[in-house]
Amino acid sequence: MPRLSRRQFLNTSCLAACACAAPVHAGVSSSTAKTRTGLAVFEYAQVRLGSSKLLEQFNYQQQLFMGIDDDKLLKPFRSRAGQPAPGDDMGGWYDDSRDFHIDPNDWSTANWHGYIPGHSFGQYVSGLARSYAVTKDARIAKKVDGLVKKYIPTIAKTFFEGYYLPAYTYDKLAIGLIDAYRYVGVVEAKDALEKLTETVMPFLPEKSLTREERRARPYTQEAEIWDEPYTLPENLFLAWQLGMGEQYKAIALRYMQNDSLFDPLAKGISPFKGKHAYSHVNALNSAIQAYLATNEQKYLQAAKNGFAFIEQQSYATGGWGPNEELLAADDTETLFNSLSETHRSFETPCGTYGHFKIARSLMQITKASHYGDSMERVLYNTILGAKPTLPDGSTFYYADYHHDASKFYRGEQWPCCSGTFIQMTADYGISTYLQDEQRLFVNLYVPSQVNMQFAKHDLVLVQETNYPFENSSSFTVSTKKPVAFGLNLRIPAWAGDTTHVVVNGKKVSGAIKRGEFFEISRTWKDKDKVQIVFDMSLRLEPLNAKHAEMVALVFGPLVLFPTNAPNNTYTAEQLLSAARNTNAEWIIKLDKQEVRLKPFMAITDEKYRLYNKVNLTKKSA
């Protein structure tokens, strides 16, 4: 049997760039962050995404939220402020309703209507603000400006009275105001954030409590212990970096969850067992921002170790946090059991958004291509296969990796973090290209172009590709004058030995190392062309060492899922005999049947399965 590897490691166009560093709001700098990172991201206006699934999702999400009436979005805030609240209800979790009810002893009776009114409003504003930075569409700027200015009069303590998750919703409101300020230039957002912060502080704990600590204190509803103050520092540090107020740094430091999260992580001890998945992975971004703000190495080490722990408990898709969104201990059974026990395997839009942020930051700091491999895996095998959010608030929430899996919407309208999808799609260009003073780093192979400058010379690099359905990507340089810089191409850890690079029709010499960037340093002229050709082949990735019999079939970065197929036991040879049938389908021919396999983004209503059992007693040829 061959060696099994677990982690071998365009009609319309749009603009995309970083949402995490080097803000573009006039008069604001982020020099603190810049001095701590080795690679910089481009501004939104410098990167254009071409025709692709990424662009389709971005356009859809932008149009969806542009189409929601302002009164509808603002209704719960006006209602809880005792003001006239015209317009229809959004529905689901978002409404100001007294219907919410849960019984921890009988979850089947739960009613989530009105659970956390207005909870994701800030994420919607943030996503639209980033969409403006992407498109420069004045209609989006007007929408964001209007939403912020209409929201400001509703800021009142009555909103947070009896509110189950004040930190959770404050965190999202904060990023909405921050992004409106830095990307759209809504100057009123600065005072709004100050007023909001003063209003919410009496409703927040004195520090970042764990759920266990919260449970030890008096409470009247189980929902009260689910608040997430440990996610607050990331956005508060950003507000401080943007010059929105010195107080935000102090508040951010106050809510750093050092004792129970960052201190053990910095020492290489995982505290993740039983923790809520997305919020704790997202909290790693607070560690990054704390490192940028304080230069304390423990925060960087905590972020690196935390990310490594998450990868150790990830599926072949890169997803993590199964069975009601819980992280696992460092064990071999949690993921295995989840394949037969739950259909809630990975909190897809939220998990992807948090994953991309932390991986991008770690790549900026370390220049390690491994983080790009991780982002690529999650991109193609989770979020690009997500069903679109529907106008009624139906949301694709979980990716399902059960043995009898299907794609489905979460049962409630506008569930938690329903704004991460628009934030994620607006940020799709963030990680495609990065740079330092002398080099351009190509991280993602997607149809796109980047407008940049080296040695004070303007130039454009256009990328054309159908990767990963094809094994190559091509680049064309456009420049008025010859300019010298290094072009660094990410070589995935799975790439085979014949992977190579061609410049102007001539193969480039030099060793290409898997899991590293390959640099081409030269003086580039107008119409110079580069092509990277990947050696892609099928491979088997086991769930873990204990359950090596459970494998995923992978081609390049794409996991291939058997569709509408019985849960058979295969030999390794049978799985590896899969042959390409169409652009997005492979076929395994057995004696009495054909098994069809598809990547996640090509699956619609079929039943599918992630892992397949192999007979380890039969040797491969």
Side-chain angles (χ1 to χ4, degrees):
M1 182 173 180
R3 180 172 63 90
L4 302 178
S5 168
R6 175 65 179 93
R7 276 292 179 269
Q8 288 185 315
F9 317 141
L10 299 166
N11 294 331
T12 318
S13 65
C14 69
L15 309 177
C18 180
C20 69
V24 300
H25 182 78
V28 175
S29 70
S30 186
S31 58
T32 302
K34 288 180 180 178
T35 60
R36 304 277 190 266
T37 59
L39 297 178
V41 290
F42 288 91
E43 295 180 358
Y44 277 104
Q46 291 179 269
V47 181
R48 297 179 181 270
L49 297 178
S51 181
S52 62
K53 182 68 173 178
L54 289 80
L55 182 57
E56 291 173 11
Q57 285 188 334
F58 165 74
N59 285 336
Y60 180 90
Q61 287 287 323
Q62 171 198 314
Q63 292 165 11
L64 172 71
F65 285 97
M66 281 293 292
I68 301 177
D69 182 70
D70 288 6
D71 286 340
K72 197 173 180 178
L73 288 166
L74 291 157
K75 188 166 186 176
F77 300 98
R78 289 168 169 167
S79 174
R80 293 178 72 86
Q83 301 171 0
D88 296 332
D89 288 332
M90 287 279 284
W93 292 30
Y94 197 88
D95 292 345
D96 182 23
S97 166
R98 304 303 178 192
D99 293 344
F100 169 69
H101 167 77
I102 57 167
D103 179 353
N105 298 314
D106 185 5
W107 288 98
S108 66
T109 65
N111 184 341
W112 295 92
H113 183 222
Y115 169 35
I116 35 179
H119 62 100
S120 288
F121 174 79
Q123 289 182 323
Y124 307 155
V125 173
S126 166
L128 287 171
R130 298 177 193 197
S131 295
Y132 169 71
V134 166
T135 63
K136 300 302 181 185
D137 186 334
R139 295 172 301 168
I140 302 177
K142 182 179 180 180
K143 176 89 167 178
V144 172
D145 183 79
L147 286 172
V148 171
K149 290 176 179 176
K150 294 172 187 176
Y151 165 70
I152 292 172
T154 73
I155 300 174
K157 68 177 183 179
T158 53
F159 178 83
F160 293 106
E161 290 175 349
Y163 198 88
Y164 294 119
L165 307 182
Y168 173 95
T169 297
Y170 167 59
D171 186 46
K172 291 161 182 53
L173 289 169
I175 192 57
L177 295 172
I178 289 167
D179 284 355
Y181 177 74
R182 65 176 171 175
Y183 295 133
V184 186
V186 183
V187 295
E188 293 86 352
K190 180 179 179 181
D191 290 339
L193 181 60
E194 182 175 356
K195 181 179 179 181
L196 172 64
T197 302
E198 292 174 351
T199 302
V200 76
M201 289 306 294
F203 299 91
L204 300 181
E206 75 282 4
K207 65 171 187 174
S208 184
L209 299 176
T210 65
R211 289 191 180 182
E212 293 77 14
E213 290 172 328
R214 182 65 185 89
R215 192 180 294 278
R217 299 184 176 193
Y219 63 95
T220 59
Q221 266 274 14
E222 175 74 12
E224 294 173 24
I225 70 169
W226 299 341
D227 209 5
E228 300 171 356
Y230 47 84
T231 67
L232 292 175
E234 176 191 8
N235 291 329
L236 293 171
F237 278 126
L238 289 176
W240 168 72
Q241 288 179 12
L242 285 163
M244 297 181 78
E246 286 297 315
Q247 70 271 28
Y248 299 116
K249 181 179 181 182
I251 301 173
L253 291 170
R254 170 177 167 179
Y255 286 101
M256 290 296 292
Q257 198 171 82
N258 292 314
D259 292 345
S260 59
L261 186 60
F262 298 125
D263 287 346
L265 281 175
K267 296 174 183 176
I269 301 169
S270 174
F272 283 145
K273 180 182 178 181
K275 302 296 185 184
H276 181 255
Y278 163 61
S279 61
H280 283 82
V281 172
N282 203 37
L284 298 178
N285 293 294
S286 289
I288 289 292
Q289 294 302 327
Y291 165 69
L292 299 179
T294 68
N295 202 29
E296 286 193 47
Q297 294 297 310
K298 81 167 183 180
Y299 291 123
L300 176 58
Q301 196 60 50
K304 292 167 67 175
N305 290 344
F307 190 83
F309 282 130
I310 295 303
E311 287 197 301
Q312 290 171 13
Q313 57 177 277
S314 295
Y315 298 93
T317 62
W320 33 262
N323 202 11
E324 301 300 334
E325 306 164 29
L326 298 180
L327 293 172
D330 186 16
D331 65 18
T332 59
E333 302 307 307
T334 298
L335 293 190
F336 175 75
N337 292 336
S338 76
L339 300 178
S340 58
E341 293 178 352
T342 184
H343 292 274
R344 300 180 168 193
S345 305
F346 176 53
E347 193 181 356
T348 304
C350 300
T352 303
Y353 178 61
H355 193 105
F356 260 57
K357 283 195 295 178
I358 182 62
R360 179 175 63 249
S361 293
L362 288 171
M363 173 176 279
Q364 285 184 257
I365 294 168
T366 67
K367 299 184 181 181
S369 68
H370 163 73
Y371 297 109
D373 286 7
S374 180
M375 295 163 70
E376 176 180 79
R377 183 179 291 256
V378 170
L379 176 67
Y380 292 118
N381 300 305
T382 71
I383 189 66
L384 286 184
K387 286 177 172 286
T389 307
L390 299 182
D392 69 356
S394 298
T395 301
F396 183 84
Y397 197 85
Y398 296 109
D400 182 3
Y401 303 145
H402 191 275
H403 289 315
D404 185 32
S406 62
K407 290 184 177 181
F408 57 92
Y409 286 102
R410 180 159 180 151
E412 306 94 36
Q413 296 169 287
W414 306 112
C416 58
C417 290
S418 52
T420 51
F421 206 160
I422 184 175
Q423 288 176 301
M424 182 67 213
T425 60
D427 286 355
Y428 269 147
I430 288 174
S431 304
T432 303
Y433 306 99
L434 299 94
Q435 67 174 340
D436 61 20
E437 292 184 356
Q438 297 179 325
R439 294 174 293 181
L440 172 69
F441 289 75
V442 179
N443 183 40
L444 296 180
Y445 296 101
V446 298
S448 56
Q449 75 173 49
V450 57
N451 297 269
M452 55 189 169
Q453 188 178 84
F454 284 105
K456 298 183 179 180
H457 292 301
D458 295 326
L459 67 149
V460 177
L461 186 77
V462 176
Q463 181 177 182
E464 297 176 285
T465 186
N466 192 30
Y467 177 93
F469 295 103
E470 294 179 1
N471 70 334
S472 66
S473 192
S474 299
F475 304 85
T476 303
V477 176
S478 177
T479 178
K480 293 181 179 180
K481 297 181 179 179
V483 57
F485 66 93
L487 178 62
N488 285 249
L489 305 174
R490 180 178 57 83
I491 309 300
W494 51 257
D497 293 339
T498 63
T499 297
H500 61 277
V501 176
V502 175
V503 176
N504 295 332
K506 183 178 180 181
K507 187 175 179 180
V508 178
S509 61
I512 292 181
K513 298 180 180 179
R514 288 175 287 193
E516 297 185 8
F517 283 99
F518 178 73
E519 181 168 344
I520 311 163
S521 185
R522 57 179 278 152
T523 297
W524 299 90
K525 301 184 297 296
D526 190 45
K527 297 183 180 179
D528 276 346
K529 295 185 180 297
V530 179
Q531 183 183 35
I532 182 167
V533 181
F534 299 99
D535 181 356
M536 285 187 182
S537 60
L538 292 168
R539 65 189 187 280
L540 302 178
E541 293 194 359
L543 181 67
N544 54 42
K546 174 71 178 297
H547 293 287
E549 79 283 2
M550 301 304 301
V551 300
L553 182 63
V554 188
F555 177 76
L558 290 174
V559 177
L560 303 180
F561 297 73
T563 58
N564 294 333
N567 191 2
N568 292 336
T569 297
Y570 301 89
T571 65
E573 292 96 330
Q574 287 173 330
L575 290 174
L576 293 170
S577 71
R580 192 79 166 266
N581 181 42
T582 64
N583 188 50
E585 184 180 74
W586 282 251
I587 291 180
I588 297 173
K589 293 186 177 181
L590 304 177
D591 291 341
K592 297 181 179 180
Q593 69 174 123
E594 288 185 344
V595 178
R596 297 176 181 270
L597 305 98
K598 294 181 179 180
F600 194 62
M601 68 180 93
I603 294 172
T604 54
D605 298 323
E606 309 98 314
K607 290 285 188 176
Y608 63 89
R609 187 173 59 258
L610 170 56
Y611 284 98
N612 310 278
K613 189 173 183 179
V614 294
N615 189 334
L616 297 178
T617 63
K618 292 187 177 182
K619 294 183 178 181
S620 300

